[in-house]
Amino acid sequence: MAEPSLDTLPLHDRIAAKILAWQAAASPDRQFVYFNGQWVTYGEADRRANKVANALSAAGVKKGDRVAIDLRNRLEYLDVWFAIARLGAIQVPINVDYKTKQIAHTIRQSKIDHVVVEASLLLELEATFVEMEQRIPVILLDHQEIPGLSPGVLAYTDIVAHASDEPPAGCWDVSGADVGTVMNTSGTTGPSKGVLMPHAQQYILGRMIAADMRLNANDVYYNFYPLFHNTAQAMIVIPVMLVGAKMVLVERFSASRFWPEVKTHGCTAFYYIGEIMRILLKSTADEDAEGSLLRTAWGIGASASDFAEFKKRFGVELGAGYGSTEANVPCYLPRGAAKTGSAGLVAPGFQVRISGAFGEEAPPNTVGEILVRSTEPSALMAGYDGDPGATVAAWKDLWFHTGDAGMFDDDGYLFFSGRLKDAVRVKGENVSAFEVELVILEEPAVLEVAAIAVPGELGGDELKVVVVLRPDAQLTPEALIARAKASLPNFAVPRYVEFVDSLPKTPTNKIMKHELRKVPFSGATWDRLAQPKPGAVK
């Protein structure tokens, strides 16, 4: 296996699990990841991955199988991810906040063969099987918390305990060009799509992030992002492994714990989104960061003013750029660049253009759709899982059409203008307006609904539903939200509800959401966060 390099690693070896094996051979005793009071070295992580790979193989997982991972942040997530890759199988991460409808859609869309799930999430998975009227093999973590195992459920600890920690047979018979992950992203005119991601796509992103952040073996990366996101996998774990650095993994983001944990573990790097940066600026003081070794961060969605203030207050060098799950990150903001409101310049190995209304290349300072392609193999998605029509449409004229709006200035800096796609970004999570609307329409009193993005106090989006009720129907916002909570992940539950007599439409009867966005709030807008909690004194 070739020695990894930020620039020269052969396509065949551009796989996270191979990078781990190389680091384990080079520095087996070097600390790799910390979680919940435990440090795991590169050598131990490699052996753990081998044991899980052999256990999964004995449980029937084979090359090409689709294995769903339904786990919160924990060491076993890394073990299972690397093990799946070593078998030549394909990981399908499941958002742990998914409810039955979203899990069933993922299972059907990606034709899942096996599920690895933790006990705290088993109930929702079992409900999914009931709704689907079918079961698939389950491997269960924390089985001691369950009174009895259902038929077809294997206890993770039992099968791993008896497995060898030697590399499984044929484990390197996998190429960076092979699809390694099906990562779910939000749909625009339909349910969420599964993005077919080659191993090399994640590697290339990790390589570029490591270079842009100037990561080295002495860095300690603070990671509160869920491992079921590509952000955590390709933009944190892989960069850390490439340079032999350390990662401190925690369950979730907490503003009150951020600086204490950063200081306790000597963290030097983290990933931000605009909302998190705003929270840290508003809820933490300069003295909270005193003694911190934090030197660098990378992320998206921060305003120019927050970007500058965070750097000034906490002395952290910030990186930024533009990208998507499908298109990688083709643009990076040069360090020290004065144009902090932009997404930066096109990176080597990528081509980006702005498309006019008829597909022509738009001139500078003209907003159009952002199109991307790569000169490096397997840098972009391989397509949408089980949806060749959507794949062909996205790759029109041999360019990937992002559905995002932006423009280049005269100096070649990209400025992101918003999303053409009908999706909403709520606190770092992509929400499909289509899926939200389907759930709201299940309420018998609802005649029509439009889900739209409205501005959040901390930057980013909040979700609002504008609802037309059936004649003579009676419905309260509280009742509507209760239905939404029963069927949607927490991050997809609308914050705002507004009842209207009618929705603006085109002559072809399509709802004109841009008209609704012009007036995001009115006196009739109901805010669920402004309502008193049960038992609270009004």
Side-chain angles (χ1 to χ4, degrees):
M1 183 170 58
E3 177 176 321
S5 161
L6 292 182
D7 300 310
T8 62
L9 189 64
L11 176 62
H12 183 76
D13 292 333
R14 294 182 171 189
I15 302 173
K18 291 189 179 183
I19 305 303
L20 172 62
W22 178 84
Q23 290 289 8
S27 304
D29 298 325
R30 183 168 182 78
Q31 291 176 328
F32 168 38
V33 58
Y34 172 91
F35 179 76
N36 199 24
Q38 178 183 358
W39 273 105
V40 173
T41 66
Y42 278 95
E44 185 181 356
D46 188 58
R47 291 190 295 273
R48 289 171 63 115
N50 285 337
K51 283 182 72 69
V52 176
N54 285 309
L56 293 180
S57 178
V61 177
K62 59 187 181 301
K63 186 174 183 178
D65 279 0
R66 307 293 188 85
V67 183
I69 307 179
D70 194 9
L71 304 175
R72 293 183 170 87
N73 277 7
R74 55 193 296 168
L75 293 173
E76 289 87 351
Y77 197 114
L78 297 171
D79 301 335
V80 174
W81 170 23
F82 299 141
I84 289 170
R86 290 183 178 186
L87 295 176
I90 299 170
Q91 65 148 337
V92 185
I94 292 181
N95 189 316
V96 299
D97 207 19
Y98 273 5
K99 299 291 176 62
T100 298
K101 290 180 181 294
Q102 293 80 37
I103 298 172
H105 171 71
T106 300
I107 290 174
R108 292 189 181 106
Q109 174 180 261
S110 294
K111 297 180 174 61
I112 301 298
D113 299 294
H114 311 264
V115 180
V116 180
V117 64
E118 63 182 69
S120 65
L121 302 171
L122 182 62
L123 188 61
E124 200 71 43
L125 180 64
E126 291 286 356
T128 302
F129 291 158
V130 171
E131 179 173 298
M132 294 176 62
E133 297 182 343
Q134 72 173 84
R135 295 186 63 88
I136 56 178
V138 172
I139 300 170
L140 177 66
L141 278 77
D142 316 315
H143 73 277
Q144 302 89 345
E145 300 176 11
I146 304 297
L149 296 182
S150 302
V153 176
L154 297 176
Y156 179 91
T157 52
D158 290 349
I159 64 173
V160 172
H162 301 97
S164 167
D165 64 2
E166 294 297 318
C171 71
W172 301 133
D173 186 24
V174 184
S175 168
D178 294 335
V179 171
T181 301
V182 182
M183 194 71 69
N184 279 307
T185 188
S186 291
T188 57
T189 58
S192 299
K193 296 182 177 68
V195 178
L196 297 170
M197 302 185 69
H199 290 285
Q201 181 181 357
Q202 289 191 314
Y203 161 81
I204 290 168
L205 178 51
R207 179 193 69 193
M208 293 190 300
I209 292 294
D212 197 59
M213 296 182 74
R214 301 178 178 89
L215 295 180
N216 60 67
N218 296 319
D219 278 311
V220 182
Y221 209 121
Y222 182 60
N223 180 18
F224 49 78
Y225 275 85
L227 288 166
F228 56 74
H229 269 194
N230 195 45
T231 295
Q233 293 191 13
M235 305 179 79
I236 300 177
V237 177
I238 292 177
V240 164
M241 291 196 301
L242 277 171
V243 301
K246 303 174 186 178
M247 178 177 70
V248 172
L249 179 68
V250 297
E251 292 181 358
R252 64 184 66 86
F253 172 74
S254 166
S256 63
R257 295 197 303 267
F258 180 86
W259 289 114
E261 289 182 338
V262 163
K263 290 190 287 188
T264 296
H265 299 293
C267 296
T268 60
F270 83 104
Y271 185 98
Y272 67 85
I273 57 174
E275 292 91 335
I276 284 175
M277 182 176 286
R278 181 71 59 83
I279 289 170
L280 290 172
L281 286 171
K282 290 175 68 70
S283 64
T284 65
D286 294 4
E287 52 266 27
D288 292 331
E290 289 180 0
S292 164
L293 300 178
L294 200 63
R295 68 167 187 86
T296 186
W298 205 97
I300 59 172
S303 68
S305 59
D306 286 350
F307 193 92
E309 183 182 355
F310 196 93
K311 181 177 179 180
K312 180 180 178 181
R313 281 181 55 185
F314 301 122
V316 178
E317 285 292 327
L318 299 176
Y322 165 78
S324 68
T325 304
E326 298 97 325
N328 211 308
V329 176
C331 293
Y332 291 79
L333 182 68
R335 297 302 173 99
K339 300 182 180 184
T340 53
S342 84
L345 302 172
V346 178
F350 289 92
Q351 297 175 346
V352 179
R353 68 181 290 183
I354 303 300
S355 174
F358 302 101
E360 77 285 4
E361 185 170 6
N365 304 305
T366 303
V367 174
E369 185 176 9
I370 301 172
L371 312 185
V372 180
R373 63 187 181 189
S374 175
T375 60
E376 192 171 7
S378 301
L380 273 65
M381 75 163 185
Y384 289 115
D385 197 20
D387 197 341
T391 302
V392 171
W395 283 100
K396 182 181 178 182
D397 298 326
L398 302 181
W399 288 89
F400 176 71
H401 290 239
T402 67
D404 293 332
M407 71 174 189
F408 283 116
D409 69 4
D410 293 323
D411 299 319
Y413 281 78
L414 179 69
F415 286 81
F416 175 74
S417 301
R419 282 175 288 278
L420 298 175
K421 294 182 177 181
D422 191 12
V424 185
R425 184 86 168 170
V426 179
K427 296 179 177 61
E429 298 282 0
N430 287 322
V431 178
S432 168
F434 176 84
E435 292 181 354
V436 173
E437 289 164 355
L438 284 182
V439 168
I440 299 300
L441 285 169
E442 290 177 354
E443 167 56 51
V446 173
L447 179 63
E448 293 182 302
V449 60
I452 62 171
V454 295
E457 302 100 321
L458 298 174
D461 298 333
E462 291 285 359
L463 184 64
K464 175 182 178 180
V465 288
V466 185
V467 178
V468 178
L469 296 179
R470 295 184 182 277
D472 302 321
Q474 299 294 321
L475 183 68
T476 64
E478 290 89 343
L480 187 63
I481 292 302
R483 174 178 284 275
K485 285 182 176 180
S487 300
L488 291 169
N490 289 334
F491 62 79
V493 175
R495 173 174 174 178
Y496 299 103
V497 177
E498 184 168 341
F499 294 123
V500 297
D501 293 331
S502 63
L503 295 171
K505 295 180 181 179
T506 67
T508 57
N509 211 37
K510 293 182 178 180
I511 298 172
M512 297 188 293
K513 291 188 176 182
H514 63 280
E515 293 294 331
L516 296 174
R517 296 187 188 102
K518 289 179 181 178
V519 186
F521 307 107
S522 74
T525 303
W526 178 88
D527 180 1
R528 67 179 170 89
L529 298 187
Q531 309 308 307
K533 295 181 180 179
V537 178
K538 296 185 179 179

